[in-house]
Amino acid sequence: MIKILHTADVHLDSPLRSLALRDPDLRDQVHTATRSAFTRIIDTAIAESVNALLIAGDLFDGAERSARTAAYLTGQLDRLRDGGIRVFYIKGNHDAENPLTGELSLPNNVHIFDGRGGKVQLSKDVWIHGVSFANRHAPESLLPKFPAPVAGAINIAMLHTSLVGAAGHDPYAPCTVNDLVAAGFDYWALGHVHRRQVHAESPWVVMPGTPQGRDIGEPGSKSATLLTIGRTIEIAEVQTSLVEFLNVTIDASKAENEDGLRDLLRQVLRETANSLTSDSGVIRLSLNGSTPRRWQILRDQDVWEEAASQYARETGSLWLDKLVFNLSDVTETGSSATDELAAIMATIRQEPGFVETCRAVLETSLAELPAQQRGELVPDENAMNVLAQRLAEAGAQRMLARMKGASS
Amino acid sequence: MRIQRLSFDFFGRFTDKTLDFGKADGPSDFHIIYGPNEAGKTTAMEGYLRLLYGFPLREPYGFQHQRANLQVSGLLEIGGHTRDFTRLPSRSGNLRADAGATLPETAIASHLGGLSLEDYRSLLCLDDETIEKGGDDIASARGDIGRLLFSAAAGVADLNAVLSQAQDEANGLYKKGGSKNRVAELKRQLADVERQIKDLDVNANMWRKLKEALQTAENEEAQAKKGRDTLRLELAQISALRRTRPKLGEIDRLLPEIEGFADYPDKLDINSEDLVALKTKQVTAQAELQRLTDEIRDARQALSEIALDADSLSLAQRLAELDELRSRMQTATLDLPRRRATYDEAHADMIRVAGELGTADDSKAANLVKTPAEIASLEMLRDGLKSVITAKEAEEREVKRLQGRVTAAQEEHRSLLDNAPTQTGFIELLTRFDVESLVPAAATARQAIASSTERLQDALAALSIGERAFDDLPDCPVDQTEADELAAQHAGLSDKIARADETISRHEEDVAVKTAQIAKFETSIGVTNDEDAHQARDRRDALWHDHRATLNAITADAFEPSMKLVDDIDGARLAHAKELGKLRQLEQALVEAETRLATTRKSLEGFRSQAGAIEKRLEELATKIFLPSVSPARFKDWVDRRSLAAGAKRNQEKLSQHHRDILHQAKQLYEALLPLLPLESPSFEAALAAARRLAEKERDHKDKAYAAHEKKMALEREIEDRHKDFALLEEVAEKAVETWADKVQELFEGTVSSEVLESAIGQLRDIREHDWKRQQAARQVSSMESDQRQFRDAITALNNEFDVHENEPLRAFRVLENIASQAQTDKVQHDDLGKKIHENQEKGKAIEAQLKNIELQVAELGALFPETADTSTLDILRITVAKAANIIQMRVQIADLEKQIFAELSALTIAEARDMLSDETASTLEGKVAALEADLEPAETRLSNATVARANAERDLGAVSGSGEIAELVEQRTTLQIEIEDALLNYVERDFGLRLAEEAIRRYRDKHRSGMMDATERAFFELTNGAYQRLRTQPDGSSEILLAIDATGTAKQVGDMSKGTRFQLYLALRAAAYEQMVSQGVQLPFFCDDVFETFDEDRTRAACRLMERIGRSGQAIYLTHHRHVVEIAKEVCDAQLIIHEI
């Protein structure tokens, strides 16, 4: 019986992105999480005595180029060599753009497929095929480069691909699942997309997903895929993520008062903590629904954020990324002075002069950010306007909350 | 909203207390609640707030009733309806309707214009504190006055703080170019992390180079080390030979020295120094032993010289027993003469006092000493005597004074009787007629009759028709009912006639129309009418008849045209059959219309004749009462009016009848009064007034005379009583004098006279005092003399016993004391010597043992040496031991040197070593060492350089471990970047919020401020009676200051005003805010709790007017304990002011 562990998109030493990491306790627990996840894969490989580890591209991150990353990787691969475990690695788009890849001198148990493609015999009946990215872009399908499957053997193919891709994103080695199914291989070990998906079962077409999510855009627990090859190929998930990102919504209208809301927060966080698969969780909480206490809550949003953060810490495994307020009011607009002020503010927000001022202030302020970060935040003119509008509305709500709140 | 009633069922000091404000029906709804201090005015205001907002958890008004029992209720007018509310202190559902049903909080809250409790308190429930606090917010904030004015009105009191806090927070996050904000701080941290990454990180290429460099450095180090180690080995060997050579020489020198002492011991446990110490110890012990022996001998000698005497030893005890007596003896020696003198003085004093009491005889002085009881009884008697005499004298004076008053009273009474005025009889007259009830009754009667007569005149005047007028009520041939009926019938008939006229003209019109239509049809048809057709047919039939009879051509010719004519007519008629049908209908309708017209005309005739009959009847009736001809309706009116006049006449007659008796009596009274009065035909009222005055005068004099008589009689009775009292007192006084004299005689048997004693009882006390002193002195003298005797006897006995020749007892006592003391000293010395001898004997024994021990040690040591060595005494033994020690040391030295040589040269025997050194001299070795050392130095340098290079290469490579340091730093950098972004967006959000808020507030203010400012200005002008003409704001930096302009045009800040003026400004602000709220449709009760206290009278007046004005648009309630405020309010308020007292 042959066992193979399949992973991809490790993005070694790529940092986690969340405000929750301000907390030094969390930093201590989850620092270098991509490494920890990779270490877990190596540990699993050794514990399960697998025959091979497949890394289907993007072992490195495009931006992280420290030699220490390479040193760490070498150390881990040495551990596999000591365990007699072979490693098969194809380069993905991020690997291709990272100079570290070229400087590596990896131990002799590692086989790196090149851009021309090739196959290696793993055991009597098992062959591994693979094609690497030669450059950071691969606009054409890489399928033609695969050597034909070996007749009478189990053929496993490694490919880094965006499949049919998504509108607005560059295609990476595009191909369809049908193309893959039709190619005659028994297991497609894919990489590139960070969310795990099993596209087909006969033959297997498996995208394992990243072993460690890095921000709230990659939520949930992450894993590698373990193949057991007997008469057929069985697959299982091996949980790898040290920390997982979570989006949780709370209906604040269920709470009658502040105490009730606090209880609700605590309860939701406890439940979330109990259902956590990874060791730790970074949670983004949204307060939705309508409540008569909306103004008070908005007025005290810093306090609420601190409280939620505190309750999360109390669970011992959760950290708050952000508390998002999506509350609506239950009462009709009244005729008090603050209601009148609210109406005036709403009018001013629509006035071209104010919109122009907002844009100018926003641009000046964002000039404090590095160009790249700014580009990610506001890629174009429209995004800038939308952001300015959103901030103006939030700012108005915040001030109104204080004015209303000041008298209660 | 308006309060109609407030009930404090259980609240503060109130139980079932109700304030009823009633309905607002006057022009101004202004109330004053007046009550003294502590009456509960503030409690009332607070109770009202409880009704609106509920009870707080900590209720300061729960002092009389427990919090759980508190209850406030009220009847509130809301939106034109009244509703009952009750407020309980329970946690929930505490607002109740009158039937006890729970009401939602919004039942009241939704009518409060969004005011919270605190807002209501600071805006509409003003007391000294809230008016100042709300006002100070405006003055001290120094913020935008408009904004604050707006704040005060809107109830967002702390808006300024909200804005400035938000601004601070935004600045704390980010400020362009600033260095103390969150973003700047994060950027500093970021720069720090980036610098660390730069310092620590290496890329893969550098890493490979580092590994190569390390390899090279390791190789170099290994080679350098090898070369150096070879040189070092050689140098070490040569150096060893160099060092060994002199050691071998030393061994050769030592060996002869120890020859011949082979049997001396190899080891000694002592050295000669120890033996010196032992010797010293021996000598010291011997000397000590000698000293002890000498001391024992001396002590024995001294002991034999001391003799002890038992009697002398016991003397001390006996003297101690006598000491008490001795000290008394000593005191007595000094005191005795003084006591004797005291005795003599007391005695002399007694004699002197006895003399004062009139007793010259010294021997009788002692008889004057009396017991305190006796003295007290004398004193009591004397005091009794004195008071009786005083009372008697007082009574005597009183009798004299009273006698004078009696005489005066008698004279006054007489004079009143003599000067009595003449009796007129008015009193009886007025009483007889019971004037007090008669006069008003008569006035009422006259008034009633006069007004009923007037009414009758009016009713009669109303009867006039045309020329005809009536002086008296005319007769009427018909009653009201009949007149009504006639008028109604006539009106009905007139109505019918009018309607018939109308119908007739309609029918006439109908007939005319139809006739015209028929004519038109006939013309248009142009057909022979029925009549003609009938005639043609008759003629034809006749001609046919003729023709048939003859049947010839002539008849036929005659018949033919007529037959043709009929045929033509029939033909034409057939052609116009439809029109003919219509014509027939019209003709039928015309006949009907004509019939209706005729019928109606007939009815009209009937109506007219009926109406005529009624009119005729009326004319007859009118004639009977000489009225001009009138319409039935007017006649009916006249009959009605006549009936009213008849009623008035009946009324007038009834009143005249009713009051007849009263008026008759009044007349009789008048007639009775007239002859008695000095007036010429006065009116009834004047006559009565004069009579009353005169009667009053008479009655007055009578009263005076009676009073004088009463007084006289009372005084006469009193003086009689006084005389009796005086006689009684005289008797008592005599008896008291007698008793006193008897008592004096009894006690002193004539020694002292009662007259003297009366004023000298104090001397009795003095003499008693002196006697007591004298006796005390005598007792002391005798006691001292006895003490002296006893002491002297005891001393004499001791003198004899101890052979002392001293007669003065105190001096003899001191001699005896010396004897006792000497005996004690001897005893102590004796005991000490015995003890010392014993101790020295013990010590001597211990020293002897020590000496023996030393001798034993010397013998033991001597046994260690061979017999050839002399160890006989301690001194000789010491020399031998020193020698042995020297030999042992040399043996050790040789063994040591050999060991060193073996070690250095790796030789096994000393012979082998000698062999190795046989070819070398000191100089050859020296030369070899110098050469090797010269070679070693560069080799060492090379190695140390190589090591440094290797260590550096190692360190550099070690830094590129697989550690996560850089990854962690990168994570920190990422987090910091996110934080910066977050802080910036947060800042921008707040900044936008602030911009919006400030602009919105500015617009809001612009919209509302002029109204507020104007209203405040008006109210302030009014309150200060024009002392302050205008308000304006003045920019001050970015904010504004509120300035009040006084009549002279001088601008004043709030801080420069007096407390009263400041309060007026604050009150003006509230009044303006109230006005604004009212304009927004919010009307709430406005309370002021004695805030006018600091106002002068004019401004209080203005403030009352302001409250009244507020009451015109809402409900104003002023609470005060100043009566003058109430009076001022009453005076200035045009509208009716409602005052409630509590």
Side-chain angles (χ1 to χ4, degrees), chain B residues 872-982:
Chain B
S872 55
T873 68
L874 192 49
D875 288 336
I876 296 167
L877 178 64
R878 191 166 64 84
I879 294 163
T880 313
V881 164
K883 175 96 184 158
N886 199 15
I887 286 161
I888 291 168
Q889 197 200 342
M890 281 187 289
R891 282 182 195 149
V892 170
Q893 228 175 331
I894 290 165
D896 231 28
L897 287 166
E898 283 176 349
K899 214 189 282 169
Q900 284 176 24
I901 290 165
F902 296 157
E904 291 262 29
L905 299 183
S906 306
L908 294 173
T909 63
I910 206 78
E912 204 178 330
R914 282 185 207 283
D915 234 24
M916 287 168 86
L917 277 164
S918 59
D919 295 340
E920 302 290 355
T921 66
S923 51
T924 57
L925 289 172
E926 198 81 20
K928 281 181 184 175
V929 166
L932 280 171
E933 278 178 346
D935 289 348
L936 195 56
E937 199 183 324
E940 287 283 3
T941 311
R942 181 184 165 200
L943 176 59
S944 92
N945 288 341
T947 306
V948 169
R950 195 257 312 145
N952 285 342
E954 255 176 15
R955 189 201 60 214
D956 292 348
L957 193 63
V960 196
S961 66
S963 78
E965 206 178 354
I966 293 294
E968 281 177 43
L969 284 169
V970 169
E971 254 172 18
Q972 279 183 35
R973 181 176 67 189
T974 309
T975 309
L976 283 168
Q977 284 169 343
I978 301 174
E979 278 189 79
I980 291 172
E981 182 181 312
D982 185 60

Side-chain angles (χ1 to χ4, degrees), chain B residues 202-383:
Chain B
V202 281
N203 59 34
N205 193 26
M206 278 172 67
W207 181 44
R208 199 174 51 199
K209 284 180 187 157
L210 286 173
K211 277 200 282 192
E212 286 167 8
L214 175 61
Q215 192 57 54
T216 314
E218 277 173 350
N219 292 345
E220 165 63 15
E221 190 189 29
Q223 281 176 14
K225 191 165 185 296
K226 199 173 161 192
R228 188 206 59 174
D229 288 352
T230 314
L231 285 171
R232 273 195 176 173
L233 186 63
E234 282 176 36
L235 182 62
Q237 284 166 351
I238 299 300
S239 300
L241 289 175
R242 255 180 87 194
R243 286 191 297 276
T244 317
R245 258 186 55 79
K247 287 174 183 159
L248 209 54
E250 178 69 9
I251 291 172
D252 291 345
R253 188 184 61 78
L254 287 172
L255 281 174
E257 296 264 335
I258 57 168
E259 212 165 333
F261 294 99
D263 51 359
Y264 267 52
D266 288 337
K267 200 167 98 180
L268 272 181
D269 287 337
I270 53 158
N271 57 31
S272 61
E273 291 308 310
D274 294 339
L275 291 175
V276 172
L278 203 58
K279 176 72 185 167
T280 313
K281 213 165 153 190
Q282 191 184 39
V283 172
T284 313
Q286 282 164 350
E288 180 68 9
L289 194 58
Q290 185 58 47
R291 188 183 63 77
L292 288 173
T293 314
D294 291 350
E295 270 186 21
I296 290 169
R297 191 192 60 232
D298 293 348
R300 285 201 172 120
Q301 175 66 32
L303 201 57
S304 67
E305 285 166 8
I306 293 170
L308 292 181
D309 176 23
D311 287 344
S312 300
L313 278 173
S314 69
L315 179 60
Q317 176 61 30
R318 290 164 70 185
L319 286 175
E321 282 161 8
L322 208 55
D323 196 53
E324 168 79 28
L325 206 51
R326 180 197 62 82
S327 69
R328 284 216 294 273
M329 164 79 187
Q330 206 158 20
T331 317
T333 312
L334 294 171
D335 273 4
L336 205 51
R338 272 211 300 275
R339 298 292 168 212
R340 282 189 181 122
T342 305
Y343 177 87
D344 293 344
E345 269 169 34
H347 189 68
D349 283 342
M350 280 178 76
I351 305 282
R352 178 176 53 77
V353 175
E356 279 168 17
L357 287 173
T359 308
D361 189 351
D362 292 358
S363 61
K364 284 185 180 170
N367 291 348
L368 295 179
V369 179
K370 296 294 164 196
T371 66
E374 284 166 343
I375 296 172
S377 79
L378 277 173
E379 203 164 33
M380 203 178 74
L381 280 174
R382 198 251 341 244
D383 291 349

Side-chain angles (χ1 to χ4, degrees), chain B residues 460-472:
Chain B
L460 288 176
L463 287 180
S464 307
I465 289 184
E467 298 281 309
R468 180 84 167 94
F470 298 90
D471 293 335
D472 198 358

Side-chain angles (χ1 to χ4, degrees), chain B residues 603-654:
Chain B
S603 305
L604 178 62
E605 281 308 308
F607 296 151
R608 284 215 170 110
S609 83
Q610 280 176 31
I614 291 169
E615 282 159 13
K616 188 146 183 270
R617 162 99 175 114
L618 276 177
E619 206 169 333
E620 284 167 18
L621 290 170
T623 317
K624 273 187 190 164
I625 40 178
F626 311 107
L627 278 181
S629 166
V630 291
S631 72
R634 282 196 69 187
F635 184 73
K636 173 195 169 286
D637 278 354
W638 187 86
V639 172
D640 286 349
R641 282 201 296 280
R642 193 243 157 220
S643 166
L644 285 176
K649 186 174 169 81
R650 274 196 305 279
N651 189 34
Q652 194 246 12
E653 283 166 0
K654 201 174 87 197

Side-chain angles (χ1 to χ4, degrees), chain A residues 382-399:
Chain A
N382 186 42
M384 178 78 89
N385 287 335
V386 170
L387 179 60
Q389 277 295 311
R390 181 171 70 73
L391 292 174
E393 185 176 356
Q397 297 293 330
R398 189 187 277 270
M399 285 310 297

